[in-house]
Amino acid sequence: MSPTTPPPVPGSSLSAARRSRELAETVGGPVVDVLVVGLGATGAGAALDAAARGLTVVAVDAHDLAFGTSRFSSKLIHGGLRYLASGQLDVAHESAVERGVLMERTAPHLVRAQPFVLPLTALVSRGQSALAWAGFRAGDTLRLAARTARATLPAPRRLSAVETRHLAPALRTQGLRGGLLSWDGRLTDDARLVTAIARTAAARGARILTRVRALRLTASGARIRDELTGEEGEIRARVVINASGVWAGGLVDGIRIRPSRGTHLVLRADHLGPLPAGLHVPVPGETNRFVLVLPQGDGRVYVGLTDEPVDGDIPDVPEVPETDIGFLLDVLGSVLDIPVQRDDVVGAFAGLRPLLDTTPGEHSGAAPRTADISRRHAVLTSPDGVITVVGGKLTTYRRMAEDAVDAAVATHRLTAGPSPTASLPLVGAASPDALGSLRAPRRLVQRYGTEAPAVQALAAHDPRLAEPVLPGHPVTAAELLWAVRHEGALDEADLLDRRTRIGLVPADRAAALEAAREVLGEAWAQQG
């Protein structure tokens, strides 16, 4: 790193050495104000919120940052249009407000405007087209109500057939009478958002401890196990916040979760050709349900999503059923000129949304479809004072975290002021002008923000670090080394499956595995 390259935000670097030191100081140590269980977006957000109010905080996760649902989202920061259509006005407004917070204040380096085209084909009636257009106009009204600038999110507009094909050349021309252009927030990567939240919390003094499993929660803390050594111990806290998502019911009695599975396919971008915009593809026979086509800028395209209920035990990593793959391919085939076959699917992933089950009981009639369950989050307090936050969605993680900490402060009479996180920039954040003036590749700026030059500088001392870790993919060895030194990556899975998303394509993961091992080995040797 050159003398002119700014270092990481002080105190924000997460590493194996820091984890070991802080775990030793925490287990059996002094009582902390807040223990957070779960380091997805909401748990990391709660750790940041509490630490930003001056509380002492420990946050643990049995696996890694963004191990669960938070890395398997659609990568969108929704403005609430879907909830507006279903009459959930408060959820819609909250989503629009939080989208604006992320895009304009806390994470403009990670969230930007994404254009979407809804193609008006023979399968979309004039009535459906009018309804969709009214929805997009209503969504723009939500933007205005949330006070998000027009420069941040452009207005929707109608497109001619020629304009539609220009933005989505892969569309079938036969029967195409035009399109509808809309805009929403889009994350560079959801797992990177969680990493930025966790590191910002660490900079505020929170202890971020991955590979630490909460075995049992109590009114005064938790029994935990270090998953790296097998050693058990106690963490004492004045209040515990259970933010473990779909696993929340396994730690606190009385919490019932109805998981909903959202599935995405991964395609090679060169198969579909250039896609300047994403696509909203209407699901035939349904009024307000779409499959999303999302170009990623790394040679891949995601296609999703479904909304199916999940029964039985909750796996660490959900499997993708062939029925979901077939459904998505069928919908995609209804609008594309280029056929997409099963063999063209190079990867797939599924996330489980932790929807709160509020049905009265199993004998009171049929449970609602998960697509119909409200995305409104809930903060629940158990009889012994454990705070559980469930429901919601990635877009509103900050508000969920704020509400959970508010409940913790009120229930346990902690001394803390109001949440400052609506105006607290995450690690790497800066104004668009400042980000645009950074001397680093645009792709790195969109992933690391103001730290992009520091990532780039690693390769200046070792040209090998400038090389991509596998042909055809932009991630370099310098990014892997940065993840080990500053982002808490402890093994190959952390590097390939979460700090980067190479692992979403199994063949790419296998090809990059040796490079990840080499970086880990060199980093450990330097630390030793």
Side-chain angles (χ1 to χ4, degrees), residues 72-96:
F72 292 133
S73 76
S74 62
K75 316 296 182 286
L76 292 179
I77 298 299
H78 284 295
L81 181 58
R82 177 178 179 180
Y83 317 113
L84 190 67
S86 61
Q88 301 178 55
L89 302 184
D90 55 343
V91 180
H93 182 261
E94 181 179 270
S95 296

Side-chain angles (χ1 to χ4, degrees), residues 129-443:
S129 171
L131 185 63
W133 177 244
F136 292 147
R137 293 292 300 272
D140 194 51
T141 301
L142 270 179
R143 173 206 59 79
L144 180 63
R147 299 183 179 180
T148 302
R150 169 67 72 218
T152 301
L153 283 169
R157 67 183 182 92
R158 298 180 186 271
L159 301 172
S160 68
V162 172
E163 290 174 314
T164 301
R165 279 276 294 176
H166 177 73
L167 289 174
L171 289 173
R172 187 180 301 128
T173 56
Q174 183 178 2
L176 183 67
R177 61 181 190 271
L180 303 177
L181 177 66
S182 62
W183 297 78
D184 213 339
R186 181 264 182 83
L187 271 168
T188 298
D189 182 63
D190 45 6
R192 293 216 60 78
L193 174 66
V194 177
T195 300
I197 299 167
R199 290 185 58 208
T200 309
R204 294 281 176 147
R207 295 176 179 176
I208 305 297
L209 305 176
T210 59
R211 305 306 199 284
V212 175
R213 182 180 298 275
L215 302 173
R216 185 178 67 255
L217 304 186
T218 69
S220 58
R223 181 76 180 173
I224 60 91
R225 180 175 66 228
D226 181 350
E227 296 290 79
L228 298 184
T229 66
E231 296 179 0
E232 296 187 9
E234 302 286 338
I235 297 178
R236 297 188 298 156
R238 293 180 176 85
V239 59
V240 177
I241 296 177
N242 175 20
S244 53
V246 290
W247 297 279
L251 290 171
V252 175
D253 292 337
I255 303 296
R256 295 189 303 168
I257 303 295
R258 287 201 72 208
S260 168
R261 183 181 65 246
T263 296
H264 290 78
L265 312 182
V266 185
L267 308 176
R268 298 289 189 196
D270 54 10
H271 182 80
L272 296 179
L275 277 175
L279 293 176
H280 282 130
V281 183
V283 175
E286 301 208 29
T287 303
N288 190 39
R289 195 177 181 202
F290 302 90
V291 164
L292 305 180
V293 180
L294 302 160
Q296 296 302 301
D298 61 356
R300 298 171 177 178
V301 176
Y302 299 158
V303 178
L305 62 146
T306 57
D307 198 339
E308 300 295 334
V310 176
D311 297 317
D313 294 337
I314 299 172
D316 283 345
V317 179
E319 294 185 1
V320 176
E322 283 294 327
T323 52
D324 284 7
I325 296 176
F327 167 81
L328 291 169
L329 289 178
D330 286 345
V331 176
L332 196 60
S334 70
V335 298
L336 293 188
D337 196 32
I338 303 168
V340 180
Q341 308 295 338
R342 179 63 179 84
D343 290 346
D344 298 318
V345 179
V346 295
F349 59 91
L352 300 181
R353 302 181 187 90
L355 305 181
L356 182 64
D357 187 355
T358 57
T359 54
E362 55 184 331
H363 302 297
S364 60
R369 297 187 311 160
T370 51
D372 298 328
I373 296 177
S374 173
R375 265 45 174 184
R376 183 181 294 106
H377 66 271
V379 177
L380 311 171
T381 304
S382 70
D384 60 355
V386 174
I387 307 294
T388 297
V389 54
V390 289
K393 52 202 172 298
L394 183 66
T395 302
T396 59
Y397 85 88
R398 191 208 64 80
R399 179 59 186 273
M400 295 169 65
E402 177 183 336
D403 288 351
V405 177
D406 279 347
V409 169
T411 302
H412 295 267
R413 298 181 181 178
L414 303 178
T415 302
S419 172
T421 56
S423 58
L424 180 61
L426 301 181
V427 165
S431 69
D433 287 344
L435 293 172
S437 67
L438 293 172
R439 299 182 64 181
R442 182 169 178 267
R443 189 191 72 85

Side-chain angles (χ1 to χ4, degrees), residues 5-24:
T5 302
V9 174
S12 70
S13 293
L14 301 175
S15 65
R18 178 172 179 172
R19 174 195 176 275
S20 296
R21 182 181 69 254
E22 293 188 339
L23 180 60

